[in-house]
Amino acid sequence: MATTTQKDYYGALGVKKTASAEEIRKAFRKLARKYHPDVNPGDKSAEEKFKAISEANDVLSDPKKRKIYDQIGFYSDNIDPATAEAYARGGGFGAGGFGGPGQGNTRTYTQEVPFDFSGFDFSDFAEGAGAAGRRAGGGGFRDIFSNIFGGGAGRAEAMHRPEPGTELEYQVNVGFWQAIKGAELELNIPRLEVCGNCHGQGHLESPGECPQCHGKGQITQKSGSMKFNVPCPRCGGSGKSRTLCPTCHGEGRLERSESLKVRIKPGTRDGQRIRLPGRGNAGTMGAPAGDLYIIVRAGEHAIFKREGDDIHLTVPVSLAEAALGAKIEVPTIDGRALLKIPPGTQAGQKLRLREKGVASAVREGQRGDEIVEIQTVTPKLADERSKEILRELAKLNPEDPRQELWKQV
């Protein structure tokens, strides 16, 4: 006969199971004042009582922990809410299973026959708690046992489950003109590739049956009075003998550098990501590989500043050109172009050259503009004739350029 002793947190605090959060708080404070070690120095009994009520308060004062405790009769940090919900909906584990808390400090449950689930295949169990577990977001009985009894079944299954490869990111630095005009780069990318010796399995088959499960593909694990079958961790459930791959040491993958040619499209922007499907890390046991993302970092230029697909440029002009207007040559990414300076152009004014920017890498047939900012250059007068001309100009144009400024003061 086996017995399971469970703690009654409601009994420890002297409250009913229907007690409100405030009633639980008051009950704990009252008992804490009575049994606190500072009030009872050297009293081991009071110290143990204080620990018991503190533990009870910790669970019952937390709504999530209390719900789990109410559902399965005890609380553990290893049990998640979905598992407890699945257990409660499935009606427990049957006769002799866990029950709710009693009215005393402890409650004893007696069973005549030990739990024995050795004949069940939990992966196909679709009724009762198994179905409830899946509705609650879990995986049925297997998840319940994995969470409550230490994860043995879950770990053994996870060891041999194919897993897709992870994504990789690789940053590449290109020059300003490479990003503008496009380029083809040859890169060496370190990545995990499928082991050629074991073909990604991590092991090699050998004659004979598995020495751990003796060809059954399952082993029996025990937790207290319960026992249940899990896939054999040595053979992964195949029942066959196998040895660890000496090349990849059971990983199924090896780190290697792969040479790739990557095309940088004309107009690629700084920070743009280029996706190469299936070029990331290889998956395990035949699972697909992840993707590779090339992140482009474009360099800068001495006079051109790129913003999106537009090119920005500052061009100096003389006072005469700004005042009278002119046609001047300015640099563009394609060479020289004529820019018309309207009469009366002010310093800092921006003029636009349509479609003289960068060809878009994402919108075919579209191109940005070149934005030219005017910078007026004040001449250094070295002769009296030039100074006299400017004085005459000031007399002919007596307007105050700061007039609007003073209006806004």
Side-chain angles (χ1 to χ4, degrees):
M1 180 182 299
T3 61
T4 303
T5 301
Q6 293 184 301
K7 298 176 181 178
D8 178 11
Y9 292 147
Y10 292 104
L13 296 179
V15 297
K16 296 180 180 180
K17 189 175 180 180
T18 56
S20 65
E22 180 63 20
E23 289 173 333
I24 291 172
R25 186 183 69 83
K26 288 182 178 179
F28 170 69
R29 293 184 64 179
K30 179 180 179 181
L31 293 172
R33 285 194 296 266
K34 180 179 179 181
Y35 294 107
H36 198 283
D38 291 344
V39 181
N40 303 275
D43 188 339
K44 293 294 183 182
S45 177
E47 183 179 345
E48 292 300 321
K49 181 67 175 177
F50 183 77
K51 290 180 181 179
I53 63 174
S54 296
E55 180 181 340
N57 180 67
D58 178 66
V59 173
L60 299 184
S61 62
D62 186 316
K64 292 182 180 179
K65 293 180 180 181
R66 182 179 180 181
K67 183 177 181 181
I68 293 174
Y69 175 74
D70 288 342
Q71 287 172 327
I72 64 176
F74 66 94
Y75 176 78
S76 170
D77 289 335
N78 294 326
I79 304 173
D80 60 20
T83 299
E85 187 73 25
Y87 172 87
R89 290 183 182 180
F93 293 119
F98 299 116
Q103 297 301 316
N105 289 335
T106 61
R107 182 172 178 183
T108 301
Y109 298 80
T110 304
Q111 60 192 55
E112 297 299 331
V113 182
F115 290 91
D116 188 352
F117 294 99
S118 57
F120 285 84
D121 180 3
F122 296 115
S123 62
D124 294 330
F125 202 95
E127 301 296 332
R134 283 185 287 275
R135 287 193 299 270
F141 264 94
R142 186 176 299 279
D143 282 347
I144 294 175
F145 286 123
S146 176
N147 284 318
I148 296 180
F149 300 110
R155 284 196 301 270
E157 187 178 34
M159 287 172 60
H160 309 284
R161 183 183 299 127
E163 293 184 2
T166 55
E167 294 179 347
L168 283 179
E169 288 188 348
Y170 189 86
Q171 182 171 301
V172 59
N173 297 318
V174 300
F176 176 83
W177 291 111
Q178 285 180 308
I180 297 289
K181 303 294 185 182
E184 186 173 84
L185 307 177
E186 188 164 337
L187 307 175
N188 287 317
I189 309 292
R191 61 186 292 266
L192 292 175
E193 295 184 350
V194 174
C195 175
N197 190 43
C198 66
H199 306 291
Q201 299 300 310
H203 61 269
L204 301 173
E205 298 288 348
S206 56
E209 65 181 24
C210 173
Q212 185 168 349
C213 67
H214 305 291
K216 295 179 180 179
Q218 294 182 327
I219 61 172
T220 300
Q221 288 192 348
K222 298 183 68 176
S223 178
S225 58
M226 299 182 67
K227 59 181 180 179
F228 47 93
N229 291 343
V230 297
C232 175
R234 180 160 183 167
C235 68
S238 68
K240 299 178 181 179
S241 178
R242 63 187 188 184
T243 57
L244 205 64
C245 175
T247 304
C248 66
H249 306 290
E251 292 295 326
R253 300 177 297 181
L254 295 169
E255 186 169 339
R256 297 234 174 96
S257 288
E258 181 182 10
S259 180
L260 291 176
K261 286 187 177 180
V262 179
R263 179 174 172 264
I264 305 297
K265 294 176 64 176
T268 297
R269 299 183 182 184
D270 179 61
Q272 192 165 328
R273 289 157 59 96
I274 302 173
R275 176 175 173 260
L276 300 178
R279 293 294 189 175
N281 284 326
T284 61
M285 301 182 68
D291 297 336
L292 170 64
Y293 289 90
I294 303 296
I295 303 175
V296 179
R297 291 299 177 191
E300 297 181 349
H301 192 272
I303 63 170
F304 295 122
K305 181 181 178 183
R306 183 177 177 182
E307 293 184 7
D309 292 331
D310 292 334
I311 293 291
H312 290 250
L313 175 69
T314 299
V315 174
V317 298
S318 68
L319 281 177
E321 290 172 329
L324 301 176
K327 287 184 178 180
I328 63 172
E329 280 191 333
V330 296
T332 72
I333 59 173
D334 296 320
R336 295 171 178 246
L338 276 179
L339 175 67
K340 182 179 180 181
I341 307 295
T345 296
Q346 302 298 312
Q349 189 171 335
K350 293 180 179 179
L351 305 176
R352 185 181 296 269
L353 286 171
R354 299 285 181 185
E355 296 188 348
K356 290 296 183 180
V358 183
S360 176
V362 294
R363 296 188 299 273
E364 190 174 352
Q366 294 191 28
R367 187 167 182 172
D369 301 332
E370 178 167 297
I371 312 299
V372 179
E373 182 176 343
I374 299 300
Q375 181 184 60
T376 54
V377 179
T378 304
K380 295 180 180 179
L381 304 179
D383 60 281
E384 285 299 322
R385 175 62 179 156
S386 297
K387 295 177 183 178
E388 187 63 33
I389 291 174
L390 282 181
R391 291 190 192 102
E392 186 67 25
L393 179 64
K395 291 178 181 178
L396 294 173
N397 299 273
E399 66 269 9
D400 184 359
R402 293 169 291 280
Q403 184 176 358
E404 290 298 323
L405 173 67
W406 287 111
K407 288 180 179 179
Q408 298 176 36
V409 173

